[in-house]
Amino acid sequence: MESLDYVRKVVLENDSWRNATLNLIASENVMFPEVGSEFYYNDFMHRYAEGKPYQRYYNGTKYIDDLESKCQEHFKAHFSCHYADVRPISGAIANLAVFCGLPKMNGKIVSNSLPSGGHITHNKMGTVSKVCGKEVHNFATDSENPFKTDVDGSIRIIREVNPDFIVFGKSMFLHPEPVKEIRREFPEKTILYDAAHVFGLIYGGEFQMPFDEGADLITASTHKTFPGPQGGIVLMKREMQFEKSVDSMLFPGILSNHHLHRIPALLATAIAYDTKHRDYGKKVIEAAQKLSEMMAGAGYKVCGYDGKKYTYTHQVVLDVTEMGGGAPVADKLEKNNIIVNKNSLPWDKSVISPSGIRIGVQEAVLRGMDAGQIFEKLNSALKS
Ligand code: DSN
């Protein structure tokens, strides 16, 4: 039987190890220092508040009612949109509610494929198909730069498939999505933009603005480039006929407890971003772009170059085939206290032996590092 001391020791060891490592996982972050423990570890973590603020199925919710409603209003005002729900406990849960809540017509959707960087929830083996029963079709990719979407090819696919809705957004995310171009061609289609990876860049006004370009809904996680507590969010641009079905899919459809202690930390992160950290998104993108150039200059195979840049986000993707492949390179980096993930590249035949690694600079930047410092550490570990 394990003791409390054992649990304590593991937690402390992990804390001290992860604090000493350079974390370059693109889907993670730590919270702004002034938000962390003060706004996250609180009594709300022991409570329930089913339902909407001021219309709960529990008593004892007067403080969370106020906070949650202000948090929703904050995001609505920030994105000039009609609807914000901060109850999803992850981006995947936000996607599930939207995928199952949107109108059902012919039961098909179009999204990014896994090899081109699409997320698992948008694909055949994930929620959109397994739980919501949609037949998944994928956008066409650019033949010269398969990290990018081929707009004309995708227009043809959308015309042929006539999907219930279109899903933008990726996990391996280097370039803006062609939201404008697809909206121009399909004025009536419902467009969902999954901003999980780039939510902090969009929040900071440094990446494409999906609502301005024609998206109807945004889903996101609140803990990647947006350095908040782990959780999700759903935003809708304007009043829509499917609002009620998405809303009731969230609760009572999926959620009971929505992990209340996230909410003050989420609002505090947004306030800290708006006040002390306005340039965070800009710094993140600049660091990723500089790092990609330094890596290419040092002879590494950096993916995604479009004639101008390798990346427009927080991510840098390397093809490490000649160094043994993604898994051994990621393991070697971990031995050198640098954490990245192995990643399939669009041309890989199997996900079992991916030939790439995916790097995200958002946490390193938040902790005060610049591109040069990240490059020095990565380069020396890769050369070791
Ligand atoms: N699939 C995870 C990633 O991009 O790392 C996030 O859900």
Side-chain angles (χ1 to χ4, degrees):
M1 176 85 162
E2 307 302 346
S3 64
L4 280 182
D5 280 342
Y6 161 76
V7 182
R8 187 172 297 119
K9 180 168 162 291
V10 174
V11 170
L12 291 175
E13 278 180 4
N14 180 64
D15 280 358
S16 94
W17 177 52
R18 291 311 294 263
N19 272 323
T21 58
L22 169 58
N23 187 49
L24 298 174
I25 298 279
S27 56
E28 297 177 353
N29 212 333
V30 289
M31 286 191 268
F32 288 133
E34 58 275 71
V35 177
S37 49
E38 185 185 356
F39 297 99
Y40 194 54
Y41 302 106
N42 49 60
D43 176 79
F44 290 123
M45 74 174 62
H46 310 297
R47 310 299 163 203
Y48 271 81
E50 284 178 349
K52 292 209 176 241
Y54 309 109
Q55 302 159 40
R56 307 285 196 189
Y57 293 88
Y58 280 75
N59 278 76
T61 65
K62 62 183 179 187
Y63 290 108
I64 195 65
D65 285 346
D66 208 38
L67 269 173
E68 192 174 311
S69 140
K70 289 207 163 62
C71 192
Q72 286 177 358
E73 292 308 316
H74 188 103
F75 282 98
K76 276 163 64 176
H78 189 87
F79 287 100
S80 308
C81 67
H82 160 74
Y83 173 104
D85 202 318
V86 294
R87 288 176 301 171
I89 56 172
S90 70
I93 291 294
N95 280 348
L96 175 57
V98 172
F99 293 157
C100 289
L102 286 178
K104 293 167 188 61
M105 286 163 310
N106 70 2
K108 299 177 185 175
I109 67 129
V110 176
S111 63
N112 286 296
S113 69
L114 289 174
S116 70
H119 192 249
I120 199 155
T121 55
H122 311 169
N123 276 284
K124 197 173 168 191
M125 60 182 70
T127 45
V128 78
S129 168
K130 282 237 157 85
V131 187
C132 310
K134 302 287 186 192
E135 184 181 305
V136 178
H137 295 255
N138 293 130
F139 294 119
T141 52
D142 187 294
S143 53
E144 278 173 22
N145 183 355
F147 297 85
K148 279 187 79 173
T149 305
D150 167 17
V151 175
D152 292 340
S154 297
I155 289 172
R156 279 194 293 277
I157 290 169
I158 295 167
R159 239 182 229 127
E160 207 174 288
V161 170
N162 186 23
D164 294 355
F165 54 90
I166 295 164
V167 184
F168 284 112
K170 294 175 161 187
S171 271
M172 183 169 59
F173 205 152
L174 297 174
H175 304 276
E177 294 278 67
V179 182
K180 243 188 296 179
E181 293 83 345
I182 297 297
R183 169 53 79 215
R184 198 179 302 128
E185 211 59 35
F186 300 99
E188 304 301 329
K189 282 280 167 216
T190 301
I191 296 183
L192 163 65
Y193 188 103
D194 181 345
H197 268 271
V198 290
F199 192 53
L201 312 179
I202 293 172
Y203 189 91
E206 299 296 333
F207 195 55
Q208 69 184 143
M209 302 306 280
F211 282 150
D212 294 348
E213 294 187 18
D216 300 300
L217 300 106
I218 295 177
T219 56
S221 45
T222 53
H223 52 266
K224 295 181 168 72
T225 51
F226 189 84
Q230 290 202 338
I233 190 166
V234 177
L235 305 170
M236 283 181 214
K237 173 74 186 152
R238 59 184 174 278
E239 216 166 345
M240 285 167 161
Q241 129 246 356
F242 48 74
E243 176 178 333
K244 275 210 173 85
S245 60
V246 168
D247 201 66
S248 72
M249 193 54 70
L250 268 173
F251 179 84
I254 298 167
L255 292 166
S256 168
N257 191 335
H258 61 283
H259 302 182
L260 315 186
H261 58 297
R262 294 179 303 110
I263 306 300
L266 181 59
L267 180 56
T269 303
I271 293 167
Y273 202 139
D274 294 345
T275 51
K276 290 192 180 172
H277 300 281
R278 278 204 195 132
D279 57 350
Y280 174 64
K282 187 165 187 276
K283 277 171 35 190
V284 167
I285 295 172
E286 281 172 1
Q289 291 179 335
K290 183 126 191 257
L291 176 66
S292 65
E293 281 154 22
M294 293 175 96
M295 298 296 293
Y300 295 99
K301 281 195 168 168
V302 185
C303 299
Y305 191 65
D306 68 354
K308 287 192 204 122
K309 293 185 193 307
Y310 295 94
T311 181
Y312 294 80
T313 69
H314 59 305
Q315 295 188 13
V316 177
V317 175
L318 302 185
D319 178 348
V320 291
T321 312
E322 286 161 14
M323 300 168 73
V329 169
D331 288 348
K332 180 182 186 178
L333 288 172
E334 181 168 337
K335 286 197 187 93
N336 285 278
N337 286 332
I338 298 177
I339 315 291
V340 301
N341 66 280
K342 54 183 177 286
N343 217 98
S344 294
L345 299 182
W347 48 84
D348 283 348
K349 296 275 174 290
S350 150
V351 288
I352 311 288
S353 45
S355 55
I357 58 170
R358 184 186 65 166
I359 293 164
V361 300
Q362 68 291 342
E363 180 172 335
V365 169
L366 194 147
R367 289 180 186 267
M369 288 178 79
D370 63 25
Q373 292 165 314
I374 302 169
F375 173 76
E376 288 303 324
K377 282 189 181 267
L378 258 177
N379 188 39
S380 100
L382 288 168
K383 294 244 151 46
S384 66

